[in-house]
Amino acid sequence: MDQPSFIVPSSSTAQQVYDWLHDRILRGDLAPGARLSETEIAGQVGVSRQPVREAFIRLTAAGLAEVRPQRGTFIGRISVGAVLSARLIREAVESDLIRMVSATTSPALLAQLDQQLEAQREASARQHVEDFIALDDQFHRSLAKAAGHADVWDVLEGLKSQMNRLRYITARVFDHQKLLDQHTAIVEALRDGHADRAEQAMRLHLRELLTDLPEIARNKPEFFTK
Amino acid sequence: MDQPSFIVPSSSTAQQVYDWLHDRILRGDLAPGARLSETEIAGQVGVSRQPVREAFIRLTAAGLAEVRPQRGTFIGRISVGAVLSARLIREAVESDLIRMVSATTSPALLAQLDQQLEAQREASARQHVEDFIALDDQFHRSLAKAAGHADVWDVLEGLKSQMNRLRYITARVFDHQKLLDQHTAIVEALRDGHADRAEQAMRLHLRELLTDLPEIARNKPEFFTK
DNA sequence: CCCGCTTTACTTGTATGGAAGTATGGCGTA
DNA sequence: TACGCCATACTTCCATACAAGTAAAGCGGG
């Protein structure tokens, strides 16, 4: 049984409990639909129910848990609708962003992106799922930053949480090579200064989920809700 | 036999406190930066501090309040960056949505939009700010629904809360006539089956805030944070 | 066996007391 | 007057006790 190694007084207890659970949920360590209990978690980390309860409230606000009064608290199932909505929003936003980047792309940026692609190839070769996911995020974040809107990416983080859970839970079924090729196509379109092609490449990339999701939902129906 | 799901035993105290404060904040009844107090609110509504505290936590998660440990809880100032990010996201998403609508527009939809425009003109003539804002939301929501993605609009609600506060606080400085003309232009472009023009009209409409925001922030600097 | 009631062991929700931290006003001192 | 220290009155945070509701096991009667 893993638990936070120690409670540091730097941050509040509730915050630390929240961080701990948030991380475990996103990584799929806590399965969707699984039962949580204020008293049980409190016992595991050695605090009272109160901070645990407050962590639950925040998790609920983030769409990662669901508390049914007098019944129990449960890890939220992944809402297919929410994932599809988040995907559509991502496509719309990142399409606009990639056009902005295309208008101001520089050799320095292209060099940075090339370097990130190389790191992704390396992580893919190592079959290291966590690194690959982190590098994928970094790639998209770099583009947002290059467009001068890194803050937009931060705002989207909340919406992406459901997608992130999906990625962790089903990471091994994803075709890393295909994603890599799509990233490469985006960078090449930028290098050629071809805004339309860059946008289309980005849209194609972000639509990949539409083909993967049905299969994933079929494999693990107990993890999903409509 | 279970009770119908929509019959809930009057929601929890914490929920009611949250709803009450949420509404007051969005309407600008509670000014940004104003001080809140667990004990004070608890006394006002006649409950203990605990549910009030939990309402504060949820408000914080929604970006509407800020709790500084051992110092106090305050109505969150409106983040200019968050508003701009939300605006950019809205423009990107609604641009995509309006293109989808344009591909499937029907006489019935056009009739519905015409009717909503008429209602907006009427509310504008009455100078009824609340109705005008509600009808504006309804207009955009109708378009999202017509695109087959009403759920996307729901997801964006959270991001829009900061924009909504802005609208309420400064509603009287907005040029209702201009917004009405822009809405009309969008509908006309749809009626002509001109997708590009519809998208451009939508983008222009949603960029209105970019010119308004600086003036608003100059008038009420104490309401904003960078 | 099967149905239905009752008991019991849970769950989350609320109230309250105290712990820890922060800001402020008052007071003494130079 | 100006400065530094300190008591005091706040604040949020955490722990604990109890209240209210749910669900399921147990048990008796048909």
Side-chain angles (χ1 to χ4, degrees), chain A residues 17-27 59 62 64 161:
Chain A
V17 173
Y18 174 82
D19 289 340
W20 181 55
L21 292 174
H22 180 90
D23 193 60
R24 291 187 66 190
I25 294 174
L26 249 62
R27 292 175 184 276
L59 288 172
L64 297 177
S161 61

Side-chain angles (χ1 to χ4, degrees), chain A residues 84 87-88 90-92 95 140 163 178-179 182 199-214, chain B residues 96 99-100:
Chain A
L84 292 178
R87 191 215 63 78
L88 186 147
R90 262 194 83 173
E91 178 185 326
S95 295
H140 288 273
M163 292 178 68
K178 183 190 273 185
L179 298 183
Q182 292 175 343
E199 177 182 344
Q200 285 310 311
M202 177 63 84
R203 286 187 184 270
L204 187 68
H205 175 49
L206 291 176
R207 279 173 190 165
E208 202 60 38
L209 183 64
L210 288 178
T211 61
D212 290 341
L213 185 54
Chain B
D96 273 16
R99 295 196 81 91
M100 299 181 198

Side-chain angles (χ1 to χ4, degrees), chain A residues 26-39:
Chain A
L26 249 62
R27 292 175 184 276
D29 190 6
L30 292 170
R35 186 192 195 85
L36 286 178
S37 164
E38 294 179 0
T39 56

Side-chain angles (χ1 to χ4, degrees), chain B residues 10-35:
Chain B
S10 71
S11 56
S12 70
T13 307
Q15 176 68 40
Q16 295 178 47
V17 173
Y18 173 81
D19 289 340
W20 182 57
L21 291 174
H22 180 90
D23 193 60
R24 291 186 66 189
I25 294 174
L26 248 62
R27 292 174 184 278
D29 191 6
L30 292 170
R35 186 193 194 86

Side-chain angles (χ1 to χ4, degrees), chain B residues 20 68 71 126 135 186:
Chain B
W20 182 57
R68 293 205 283 247
R71 288 174 201 221
R126 278 188 299 131
L135 286 167
I186 293 170

Side-chain angles (χ1 to χ4, degrees), chain A residues 78-88 162-163 166 209 213 224:
Chain A
I78 300 175
S79 163
V80 173
V83 170
L84 292 178
S85 293
R87 191 215 63 78
L88 186 147
Q162 297 290 62
M163 292 178 68
L166 198 60
L209 183 64
L213 185 54
F224 295 88

